[in-house]
Amino acid sequence: MRLLITGATGFIGSHLSAKLAQDSNEIICLGRNFETNFAQNFHNSKFQLIECDITDWNDLVNKLKSIGKIDCVFHLAGKTAQKNISDPQMYFNNNFTGTLNILEWCRQNNVKKFVYSSSIAVYGLSANQFNSKYLPVDEIHPALPYD
């Protein structure tokens, strides 16, 4: 399968990319900075690396115009919410506009499978630290991103 992974330079994205590459999938990694500690394993021939800002529609379309058919997108890109957000517009751009752009790109390119991974932060933050009501967090845990 041909897979596109957004947020591939983050902790989860880099590990997901490495795992999916073990199964002979073709992995296209989309990220902002391929020099992060998590992205060290990308510097081999198993991955196609594309630096891109998903919040910029023109950048996204231009960078992805020649990649061909994608079977599935794993959307992991985003910023973690914080209790005292100093720049709410940045979070909106990264998490809403970026996701909307990826979804629209998928629609225009007939991508049939889309996997969206949220953040554990939706289950509770207190003083910028994860603070769930109980552990382990399950599917029925209340969403309290600013509790």
Side-chain angles (χ1 to χ4, degrees):
M1 290 183 76
R2 297 191 78 238
L3 309 173
L4 175 69
I5 301 173
T6 70
T9 58
F11 178 79
I12 295 172
S14 64
H15 286 82
L16 176 64
S17 299
K19 180 65 176 165
L20 292 172
Q22 292 175 354
D23 296 330
S24 300
N25 292 300
E26 184 179 344
I27 311 295
I28 296 103
C29 298
L30 200 60
R32 286 194 180 182
N33 179 5
F34 285 99
E35 300 304 320
T36 67
N37 290 336
F38 300 126
Q40 293 175 18
N41 63 343
F42 291 136
H43 297 288
N44 65 48
S45 60
K46 287 187 175 184
F47 305 99
Q48 181 179 347
L49 310 178
I50 300 174
E51 279 197 46
C52 178
D53 178 359
I54 65 169
T55 67
D56 180 338
W57 174 252
N58 291 326
D59 189 38
L60 179 68
V61 169
N62 288 332
K63 298 280 179 70
L64 298 182
K65 67 182 170 188
S66 63
I67 64 168
K69 177 151 178 46
I70 296 295
D71 298 303
C72 180
V73 170
F74 289 86
H75 180 49
L76 304 170
K79 295 289 184 189
T80 303
Q82 296 178 4
K83 190 172 183 104
N84 300 312
I85 297 175
S86 59
D87 186 359
Q89 188 64 43
M90 183 267 304
Y91 286 97
F92 182 84
N93 283 339
N94 277 278
N95 298 340
F96 180 79
T97 305
T99 298
L100 185 62
N101 285 346
I102 291 294
L103 285 168
E104 178 59 19
W105 182 87
C106 288
R107 186 189 69 78
Q108 289 184 13
N109 289 277
N110 294 319
V111 176
K112 301 297 183 198
K113 295 179 184 174
F114 185 88
V115 178
Y116 175 70
S117 295
S118 184
S119 166
I120 198 164
V122 301
Y123 299 114
L125 285 175
S126 176
N128 297 329
Q129 297 294 317
F130 175 65
N131 188 28
S132 67
K133 296 292 181 192
Y134 56 85
L135 292 174
V137 173
D138 58 21
E139 291 81 7
I140 61 171
H141 192 286
L144 305 163
Y146 297 107
D147 187 28

